[in-house]
Amino acid sequence: MGFRSSVLKSFPRGLPYRGLLKALGLTDEDFKKPFIAVVNSYSEIVPGHIHLRIVAEAVKSGILIAGGQPFEVNTIAICDGLAMGHEGMKYSLPSRDLIADSIELVVEAHRFDGMVLICSCDKIIPGMLMAAARLNIPSIVVTGGPMMPGDYKGEKVTLVKLFEALGEHARGLLTVNDLKEVEDSVCPGPGSCSGMFTANTMACLVEAMGMGLPKVGTAPAVSAERIRIAKRSGELIVEMVRKGIRPRDVMTREAFLNAIAVDVALGGSTNTALHLPAIAHEAGIELELDEFDRMSRIVPQLCTISPNGPHTVYDLHMAGGIMALMSEIRGHLHLDALTVTGKTIGELIENAYVRDRSIIRSTSNPVMIEGGLAVLKGSLAPRGSVVKIAAVPKSMWRFKGVAKVFNSEEEAVEAITNKKIEEGSVVIIRYEGPKGGPGMREMLMPTSLIVGMGLWEKVALVTDGRFSGATRGLAVGHVSPEAAEDGPIAKVVDDDVITIDLHSRRINVDFIVPEEERIKKLSRPNKVLKGYLARYSQRALSADKGAILT
């Protein structure tokens, strides 16, 4: 039969396996079909996943139409929005590797011939792509799609409004009744939160890399188009198995460079600087952090999607989506990169066009002449750090401030909430990296409070942790080496001076506090670890290496 699953299906050698499979209701005719794993991260706690059973049914329908035999299997999902701002966020990034491992285990054990990876949200999409690259059997990704935007008093709003409203309430700008209205308005239904946060950034990059069908990154979660994409993907995976199109045929170095180009043109999440290198590593490709900065120097930012501006992913979809954006930056792309469709990126974007120039600007009239991400190096971050320059006000591109140092996110949030952060401060949050956190928590809570309290053009935040794609302001993350590795960030104390220059891509520290006084002020948190986080802390590499596990 030529399938991996033949070891289970041949007769009479596979008699024990065939007998077990017939308990599932399979027939002799079903044994002649390729076995396809429909890997679903459906969960009743995650808004981006609550509808994925419907998506899976469409995928399985397509597989059956094309002559394959689908088997739905599952993996875990963590909602970053629900985990944000407390101990739960320590488990988010580590779940990425567990997702990849769990897929490897179930798919290899059962000798599936191909996979359809159904996923939404921040760590689940990259975890599934890591599994695809690792296993290298025919695979296609179907994301759950973006949530529709909310409406608050006539204004289109996204997830970021929920977090920034807390700061606005602290300033007396919103009443308790206003907060309740925000709560009821922002998230109107299923899907990945409607801005260009990490979930939707990664979904768009699935499309840019060629690992999913056109529009898979932007078609709304609640749309019939999403179901059609799912059904067609089910049909296509059977074709891919028969033709032998594998993930490493698609996820080449050129495909990753295409993804970075789209990322910086979108002004996407800084978390891509963790996920793309990790996925590339599984594909046997070394993707340096500097590639993000190199691309951002030559590819302009063309979109202003929340949190970088007023638009949503639905607006991007209606303006032509990722294919239209890629057609606009075609001069920076590797057009001969193969996609799961069997066509090249160049062929897919041949007839794509931009429908709304207010959503996708032209390269001759960009939002910024540079892309949306930057890599900063210097005495505070010798191996690099990452900032979403698309979300930094121009007045903050050069900033010099006095350090206010905290050894955890909770300490910083308390200080910000109690109005202990003054204008001109650089809030340092350390021991939140992959090893030190452990788990490299996102810092949407402190950055949103800074914005909500009207300090986002007066205060910077620097961390060896990371940021949600919803973060805006001068927020520098992924500082490497991290504090737990005794990087320079571990030696900073209150009143040292931090200089950040986005133009020159530098972040430096002046250790002005005398050494004797510095030693008295320095402290290292004693964290008692157990379970998965203890194992993760021992194995995780630095952020500049994608926080991959050794």
Side-chain angles (χ1 to χ4, degrees):
M1 282 183 270
F3 300 134
R4 284 189 357 144
S5 58
S6 295
V7 68
L8 304 180
K9 299 185 294 190
S10 62
F11 183 86
R13 183 179 179 277
L15 189 67
Y17 316 123
R18 288 168 63 99
L20 285 166
L21 290 167
K22 283 195 171 180
L24 305 178
L26 266 65
T27 67
D28 288 342
E29 285 300 309
D30 292 330
F31 291 137
K32 298 176 184 178
K33 303 171 184 176
F35 279 10
I36 308 297
V38 179
V39 185
N40 193 351
S41 55
Y42 165 80
S43 169
E44 290 187 341
I45 190 63
V46 186
H49 291 66
I50 191 66
H51 63 305
L52 292 188
R53 279 182 170 170
I54 298 170
V55 175
E57 289 304 316
V59 167
K60 289 186 284 186
S61 174
I63 292 170
L64 290 168
I65 289 169
Q69 179 57 50
F71 298 86
E72 187 173 350
V73 297
N74 300 96
T75 188
I76 63 170
I78 289 175
C79 175
D80 279 18
L82 293 174
M84 196 75 66
H86 55 81
E87 288 289 304
M89 180 48 76
K90 293 183 177 181
Y91 292 86
S92 176
L93 181 60
S95 74
R96 181 188 72 180
D97 299 87
L98 187 59
I99 288 164
D101 291 347
S102 68
I103 294 170
E104 176 188 359
L105 291 170
V106 72
V107 169
E108 290 293 75
H110 298 117
R111 311 311 296 161
F112 284 109
D113 301 304
M115 301 187 291
V116 180
L117 301 164
I118 302 175
C119 47
S120 283
C121 300
D122 303 50
K123 308 306 158 301
I124 299 91
I125 296 173
M128 288 196 176
L129 285 168
M130 289 167 67
R134 182 187 302 174
L135 301 184
N136 201 34
I137 66 171
S139 305
I140 187 170
V141 176
V142 180
T143 64
M147 184 184 291
M148 295 299 289
D151 184 286
Y152 173 65
K153 296 184 177 180
E155 173 192 0
K156 282 190 299 185
V157 287
T158 66
L159 175 74
V160 69
K161 182 66 178 179
L162 285 168
F163 287 88
E164 293 180 1
L166 294 175
E168 293 172 10
H169 175 62
R171 293 171 64 199
L173 299 180
L174 295 180
T175 67
V176 171
N177 287 337
D178 290 331
L179 291 183
K180 188 66 174 69
E181 189 172 347
V182 169
E183 175 186 305
D184 291 341
S185 303
V186 170
C187 299
S192 300
C193 299
S194 55
M196 192 52 67
F197 314 139
T198 306
N200 286 323
T201 301
M202 286 305 306
C204 290
L205 299 194
V206 165
E207 198 174 327
M209 292 171 68
M211 282 299 293
L213 289 176
K215 299 187 179 181
V216 74
T218 60
V222 294
S223 66
E225 189 171 17
R226 174 65 45 189
I227 301 304
R228 291 195 295 270
I229 289 169
K231 185 178 290 186
R232 175 58 187 140
S233 296
E235 295 173 339
L236 184 58
I237 189 62
V238 179
E239 295 178 29
M240 292 173 64
V241 169
R242 298 190 189 283
K243 292 177 180 178
I245 299 176
R246 300 172 183 268
R248 294 191 189 184
D249 300 327
V250 175
M251 287 193 282
T252 60
R253 181 171 183 80
E254 289 73 23
F256 283 104
L257 295 179
N258 284 349
I260 295 173
V262 169
D263 188 13
V264 299
L266 285 170
S269 168
T270 53
N271 281 314
T272 56
L274 286 173
H275 298 322
L276 290 180
I279 300 163
H281 175 76
E282 295 287 356
I285 298 167
E286 186 174 0
L287 194 65
E288 296 286 349
L289 186 60
D290 288 341
E291 288 289 358
F292 289 82
D293 197 66
R294 183 189 68 80
M295 195 68 75
S296 198
R297 294 283 197 178
I298 60 175
V299 178
Q301 180 191 344
L302 302 184
C303 302
T304 50
I305 302 169
S306 176
N308 312 330
H311 304 123
T312 68
V313 181
Y314 179 69
D315 296 323
L316 175 65
H317 181 68
M318 297 306 293
I322 296 304
M323 293 294 105
L325 177 68
M326 294 182 83
S327 72
E328 190 61 36
I329 60 168
R330 66 173 65 236
H332 301 288
L333 300 177
H334 295 273
L335 298 177
D336 57 349
L338 184 67
T339 73
V340 291
T341 67
K343 296 180 179 180
T344 65
I345 281 291
E347 290 174 310
L348 290 184
I349 68 172
E350 187 175 354
N351 296 317
Y353 64 94
V354 176
R355 297 190 179 102
D356 188 337
R357 284 295 181 190
S358 70
I359 310 298
I360 303 174
R361 304 269 284 269
S362 68
T363 53
S364 60
N365 181 35
V367 177
M368 289 197 310
I369 60 172
E370 294 184 349
L373 298 181
V375 176
L376 312 184
K377 293 184 178 181
S379 59
L380 188 61
R383 295 210 306 259
S385 60
V386 180
V387 60
K388 183 195 283 192
I389 58 176
V392 180
K394 282 290 185 179
S395 62
M396 295 287 284
W397 275 49
R398 287 191 179 95
F399 187 78
K400 187 174 185 178
V402 177
K404 293 287 290 183
V405 182
F406 304 95
N407 284 347
S408 72
E409 179 186 6
E410 287 83 358
E411 294 173 23
V413 166
E414 182 182 5
I416 297 166
T417 303
N418 292 325
K419 301 180 181 179
K420 294 180 180 179
I421 302 301
E422 300 174 350
E423 295 182 15
S425 298
V426 177
V427 176
I428 303 283
I429 306 178
R430 63 189 179 195
Y431 294 104
E432 291 285 9
K435 287 183 179 295
M440 202 179 182
R441 286 193 285 182
E442 291 185 344
M443 303 291 166
L444 180 58
M445 187 66 76
T447 57
S448 295
L449 286 170
I450 286 170
V451 172
M453 297 180 77
L455 294 172
W456 82 304
E457 293 190 78
K458 300 164 186 176
V459 169
L461 193 149
V462 176
T463 181
D464 55 6
R466 60 195 177 93
F467 296 111
S468 163
T471 289
R472 57 186 178 127
L474 183 50
V476 182
H478 305 205
V479 170
S480 300
E482 63 175 290
E485 292 183 326
D486 294 320
I489 194 171
K491 300 175 176 63
V492 181
V493 297
D494 287 353
D495 300 324
D496 284 335
V497 175
I498 310 296
T499 304
I500 303 168
D501 190 332
L502 302 188
H503 297 281
S504 63
R505 304 296 204 259
R506 304 297 293 174
I507 181 166
N508 292 315
V509 55
D510 291 321
F511 294 111
I512 65 171
V513 176
E515 193 63 24
E516 288 185 10
E517 187 178 341
R518 179 181 309 280
I519 292 171
K520 293 177 183 178
K521 288 185 174 183
L522 285 174
S523 62
R524 188 183 186 107
N526 181 27
K527 300 183 180 182
V528 179
L529 303 178
K530 60 182 180 179
Y532 188 73
L533 288 185
R535 297 194 298 274
Y536 182 85
S537 179
Q538 293 168 358
R539 296 182 57 199
L541 295 184
S542 183
D544 65 303
K545 301 297 182 184
I548 61 173
L549 300 185
T550 56

